[in-house]
Amino acid sequence: MDRENTAERPILMKIGRALKWLYYYPRFSRFMAALVGAYIFANVASLLLYFVFVDTALLYLETDTVNRALVASGFNAMIGAGLMSLLIYPLAGLWVYYAKSASRAWAVMILPSLLGIGLLYALLPDPLKQALGG
Amino acid sequence: MASITKADTPPIEYEERGFRQVMSVVHTWSTLVPIWVLYFVFITGTIGYFHVEITNWMKPEIDHVAEPVDDAVLFEHATRYLGENAAGATTWSISLPSERRETSFIFWSRNITPEERETLTPAQQEELRESNSGNVVLDPVTGATYGDEVRATGGGDLLYRMHYVLHYMPRAMGEYIVIICTILMFAGLVTGIIIHKKIFKDFFTFRPAKGQRSWLDVHNISSVMTLPFQLMITFSGMLFYLATIMPLVFYGPTATFGFDVEDFLTSESIADVNPKNQELIGILAEEVFGITPAPEAAGVQASMAPLSDITSDFRSRYPDAKIDRLILQNPSDQNAAATIRFVPGIGSPAIGVANYSAATGERLGDSAGERQGSVAGNIQATILSLHEGRFSPIALRWLYFLTGLAGAAMIASGAVLWARKRRQAYETELKRFAKTSAQSGDGAADPKVGKGVIFVEHMNVATIIGLPIGVAAYFLANRLIPVGLEGRASLEADAMFIAWALTFVMAVIRPSRRIWTELMWLACAAYASIPFANAFTTNRHLGASLPDGDWMMAGFDLTMFGIAFLFGLTAYRSAITRVDIKPQPNAAIQQPVMDPAQ
């Protein structure tokens, strides 16, 4: 009996190790959601905030020369969005750990981000859309 | 043998935990992982608030200037030197002595004109730049310059630099490590606030000699009392690296107002970007930072107005402002421009800029340290300015120093607390094991402290006390390494890390219940010996610096004695109140770590 148990142990240990990895996978997934998912979310949210902060009337003004007012407004909006991004990223990362499950955390980080990317593309001035191949 | 750290520990199921419990787990791990790097960053960053003073102490060959020097005298010496040695330069910069730096730092450089950029090869441009640039430290009283007689040292600047790029690694790698640790620390602070149910009560609660409870109180007090500072310093630390952390947010929007981002990122310096980007940078400088561009050189020689007239006009307008330096563009040209860079004073963000015509002395305008009409920009500038504390008079600088140390104490107590909790769990398990063994009489597996806990305990003592010992070794090396020795500046830094590494060895080989006290006595001896090393190797010891009113040197020596006293006092108190634990029947079981709070 003892001999049988001893012989089976290495296989069981291998299975145990594999199960252990599966057991830790949700934690790893949650960690990645906090690291990568929250980062993507923070970037998209902040870029959308840029369009809230910037003077959009100047942004869509078609002109061949450099618009001094737009440069100033754009820079300040960029700094504002940047400040917000540094708040959004850690807070989104923390929320990931409070989500009911890792898959829900990923869903909340990625789905709005995908929508946001679409919205960002729509908000881009035409010359930039053309530069991006649109 | 069962490991106490894993046995009976329920798995972390976030779904089953409340918000505070989840945040508590995140708080523990987000701060434990980077904890020793954060401690290093806090200690070196806190020392950095006095980096100028430390550099002065580490260069004792530079004479003490007893009386403030008139601007006219300084500018006469500086312009004479620059005229003789930097006639081909297009920019002269002259820093003005202050209560922190008694000498004047002068540097000069040459810009490459658009024509030269087109006609010369990159190597020729570089040679032109190199041959027309340099720097020197000037004695404002005599006009003498300091050269090889001044010992080579990293000074306080190296310690300050370490807090954001670390050491012995490429700059980018150091920056990335610090950035990641800073983000984790910010998450740790936010979660720390969330898990505190009784922040107000914690403010007033300290129960000494209660072991783990005392450490928790130290952790709570040091974090709650200085919470606004810790939040500010961490957030502003991230803000410094906004472009690195969030490159898309930083560079992406610039494309919407015309920047060629690719050209900007691939150019070696701002001077090398394409003409459109040059134009946009010029507009930003004017519209956002209020900096008027210097006019092009006329190519016509002209005498300059007395520079002291320019600084006195500026001082009459801004009596509270501290002038950092005067920068001359195209000196001795008809269109020469003088720019005063200044710190506007307490409450004003950023660095201010005032523009004058150097040829006529006429005032052209100034930014007064404010960004024009920009709320976000002012918030950013204020936060960054708060981080560096540039505007701080000496008393406020000391407050920065003390709150920085409180931050280090918060980190250190958190690290010790983590290890103490696990050690206490081990002791509880040990008692249970002894009881069950006595009852059953069989040889059940005895509990064992996890290797991770032992590692953390060693790292804690070797970092919390070892790093200050390393810093003391850095100062001692400055005095003990021969002045003319090649590579002495890097040897000083090596001495710091070797001394620190030796404390790790001590932590491993010495009994864990004694190591805290022993290292604290060692730190006490190291700091107390610094003023003596200064006295034996220079003539600017306390016996000379105090009668001369040389507070730059005397202040440093006295501070070293003060730190030695504090280490000695803590070592003495922890030694006399140490709880001696009787040897356990099982020799394999380690003694609990001596607790300095007991």
Side-chain angles (χ1 to χ4, degrees):
Chain A
M1 191 71 179
D2 284 340
R3 192 174 294 166
E4 275 179 29
N5 279 344
T6 313
E8 284 171 10
R9 203 168 286 157
I11 301 162
L12 285 174
M13 281 173 78
K14 279 180 188 171
I15 295 168
R17 279 198 198 112
L19 289 174
K20 197 176 173 185
W21 164 246
L22 285 176
Y23 168 71
Y24 279 106
Y25 174 73
R27 289 189 193 183
F28 178 72
S29 176
R30 202 183 282 265
F31 172 72
M32 291 308 290
L35 193 74
V36 181
Y39 185 75
I40 294 168
F41 180 85
N43 269 283
V44 174
S46 306
L47 286 172
L48 284 171
L49 280 173
Y50 168 76
F51 284 95
V52 174
F53 295 151
V54 75
D55 190 338
T56 42
L58 296 171
L59 194 64
Y60 300 113
L61 200 67
E62 287 190 16
T63 169
D64 293 334
T65 55
V66 173
N67 188 327
R68 295 179 74 91
L70 174 61
V71 174
S73 167
F75 183 82
N76 289 323
M78 181 194 82
I79 294 296
L83 284 166
M84 295 307 293
S85 72
L86 293 179
L87 284 175
I88 295 169
Y89 182 31
L91 294 179
L94 290 181
W95 182 85
V96 162
Y97 278 96
Y98 185 59
K100 291 280 180 198
S101 66
S103 49
R104 182 180 289 202
W106 272 111
V108 172
M109 290 296 118
I110 295 301
L111 291 180
S113 299
L114 289 174
L115 283 174
I117 289 167
L119 189 57
L120 278 174
Y121 186 77
L123 286 169
L124 279 181
D126 287 337
L128 279 177
K129 271 185 200 165
Q130 285 161 13
L132 288 170
Chain B
M1 289 200 175
S3 170
I4 191 68
T5 50
K6 286 182 182 172
D8 304 329
T9 307
I12 301 165
E13 294 294 347
Y14 295 102
E15 293 84 352
E16 295 167 9
R17 295 179 179 220
F19 183 58
R20 277 212 171 98
Q21 285 173 304
V22 171
M23 290 299 112
S24 178
V25 174
V26 178
H27 177 75
T28 301
W29 290 102
S30 66
T31 49
L32 186 71
V33 171
I35 204 151
W36 301 300
V37 177
L38 285 175
Y39 184 78
F40 179 84
V41 169
F42 259 77
I43 289 290
T44 49
T46 300
I47 292 170
Y49 284 117
F50 287 109
H51 71 105
V52 176
E53 289 79 0
I54 292 170
T55 304
N56 288 333
W57 185 87
M58 292 178 85
K59 291 182 176 179
E61 292 80 12
I62 294 177
D63 292 331
H64 166 55
V65 180
E67 296 294 325
V69 181
D70 190 61
D71 285 355
V73 177
L74 166 71
F75 289 133
E76 189 191 328
H77 292 315
T79 50
R80 191 189 319 123
Y81 180 88
L82 286 163
E84 289 167 5
N85 297 282
T90 52
T91 304
W92 291 354
S93 171
I94 305 162
S95 78
L96 273 72
S98 65
E99 70 267 21
R100 298 187 70 196
R101 203 189 299 267
E102 294 172 339
T103 51
S104 173
F105 182 73
I106 293 171
F107 73 83
W108 58 97
S109 62
R110 190 188 193 286
N111 293 335
I112 304 295
T113 61
E115 294 81 41
E116 285 166 343
R117 197 169 292 129
E118 283 175 12
T119 54
L120 299 177
T121 64
Q124 286 171 322
Q125 290 176 30
E126 190 57 36
E127 192 187 331
L128 197 60
R129 271 203 201 104
E130 286 279 314
S131 59
N132 287 293
S133 62
N135 62 73
V136 73
V137 175
L138 187 87
D139 185 320
V141 179
T142 63
T145 55
Y146 290 101
D148 292 340
E149 73 275 19
V150 179
R151 65 189 64 200
T153 176
D157 301 335
L158 181 70
L159 290 173
Y160 174 69
R161 209 179 112 88
M162 280 179 193
H163 99 275
Y164 60 90
V165 294
L166 306 180
H167 202 62
Y168 294 129
M169 63 180 74
R171 183 191 171 104
M173 187 195 284
E175 281 180 347
Y176 276 115
I177 292 172
V178 173
I179 287 168
I180 291 165
C181 293
T182 310
I183 294 171
L184 288 171
M185 167 121 183
F186 189 69
L189 284 173
V190 174
T191 49
I193 295 166
I194 293 168
I195 62 177
H196 264 286
K197 285 181 186 167
K198 301 166 188 166
I199 271 194
F200 188 74
K201 192 181 169 192
D202 284 342
F203 198 92
F204 298 101
T205 306
F206 179 59
R207 288 154 288 191
K210 299 273 186 216
Q212 186 183 314
R213 174 60 61 186
S214 302
W215 280 108
L216 182 62
D217 288 343
V218 171
H219 186 64
N220 288 341
I221 289 173
S222 56
S223 49
V224 171
M225 276 179 74
T226 59
L227 186 62
F229 174 81
Q230 311 305 346
L231 284 171
M232 176 278 292
I233 211 80
T234 317
F235 186 75
S236 54
M238 293 196 295
L239 193 55
F240 270 104
Y241 288 103
L242 175 61
T244 312
I245 300 171
M246 296 283 172
L248 200 61
V249 179
F250 192 81
Y251 295 112
T254 59
T256 64
F257 51 87
F259 260 98
D260 182 345
V261 179
E262 193 181 346
D263 170 74
F264 191 77
L265 291 176
T266 51
S267 299
E268 280 188 17
S269 70
I270 286 181
D272 296 328
V273 296
N274 66 29
K276 192 185 178 193
N277 277 351
Q278 289 276 11
E279 185 190 356
L280 284 161
I281 289 168
I283 292 171
L284 271 180
E286 268 187 86
E287 296 286 334
V288 181
F289 299 99
I291 299 169
T292 314
E296 293 272 315
V300 179
Q301 284 276 326
S303 59
M304 289 193 289
L307 298 179
S308 54
D309 287 358
I310 291 174
T311 50
S312 39
D313 176 77
F314 174 81
R315 286 203 167 100
S316 67
R317 292 173 192 278
Y318 297 105
D320 295 334
K322 284 191 281 186
I323 299 178
D324 176 44
R325 69 186 55 170
L326 184 105
I327 300 164
L328 287 164
Q329 302 280 357
N330 306 314
S332 305
D333 185 271
Q334 197 178 40
N335 285 349
T339 303
I340 293 175
R341 278 172 59 94
F342 62 98
V343 181
I346 293 178
S348 299
I351 291 284
V353 177
N355 297 303
Y356 287 81
S357 161
T360 63
E362 183 194 354
R363 180 173 168 268
L364 302 174
D366 58 66
S367 73
E370 304 279 341
R371 292 184 185 206
Q372 310 300 303
S374 157
V375 176
N378 276 330
I379 290 171
Q380 185 212 25
T382 305
I383 293 171
L384 296 182
S385 186
L386 279 172
H387 186 102
E388 294 191 317
R390 277 192 197 161
F391 52 82
S392 314
I394 188 73
L396 196 54
R397 203 165 281 278
W398 272 106
L399 192 61
Y400 263 105
F401 184 79
L402 294 176
T403 44
L405 287 185
M410 171 185 75
I411 294 162
S413 54
V416 174
L417 190 61
W418 186 89
R420 287 287 304 174
K421 270 186 181 175
R422 272 115 195 115
R423 175 65 74 170
Q424 198 174 51
Y426 151 71
E427 284 166 7
T428 310
E429 184 70 6
L430 192 67
K431 282 178 192 162
R432 192 173 65 82
F433 159 72
K435 200 175 167 185
T436 49
S437 291
Q439 284 171 354
S440 62
D442 61 5
D446 57 340
K448 187 182 165 192
V449 183
K451 283 179 186 168
V453 176
I454 294 171
F455 172 74
V456 170
E457 284 174 350
H458 288 156
M459 286 290 287
N460 279 349
V461 64
T463 307
I464 294 167
I465 313 294
L467 176 59
I469 290 173
V471 174
Y474 179 65
F475 296 145
L476 281 171
N478 176 264
R479 288 298 188 261
L480 300 179
I481 295 173
V483 174
L485 193 69
E486 200 169 324
R488 75 181 303 286
S490 60
L491 284 174
E492 286 175 4
D494 293 342
M496 172 177 164
F497 286 97
I498 289 168
W500 188 11
L502 288 175
T503 64
F504 280 97
V505 177
M506 275 187 75
V508 173
I509 61 174
R510 295 293 300 148
S512 54
R513 66 197 179 95
R514 288 191 187 153
I515 187 65
W516 282 91
T517 313
E518 287 177 355
L519 281 184
M520 278 191 281
W521 279 124
L522 187 61
C524 169
Y527 279 95
S529 64
I530 292 169
F532 290 106
N534 182 37
F536 288 129
T537 54
T538 75
N539 57 3
R540 297 183 67 184
H541 47 78
L542 279 171
S545 56
L546 281 174
D548 287 354
D550 183 1
W551 285 105
M552 203 76 78
M553 297 298 277
F556 186 94
D557 281 347
L558 292 173
T559 305
M560 294 302 108
F561 275 137
I563 294 171
F565 173 75
L566 289 176
F567 270 118
L569 186 70
T570 318
Y572 175 73
R573 281 190 60 82
S574 67
I576 60 167
T577 57
R578 185 197 302 151
V579 178
D580 280 326
I581 295 167
K582 289 177 185 172
Q584 299 294 331
N586 186 341
I589 297 167
Q590 297 196 15
Q591 297 286 0
V593 173
M594 198 292 299
D595 185 349
Q598 287 181 336

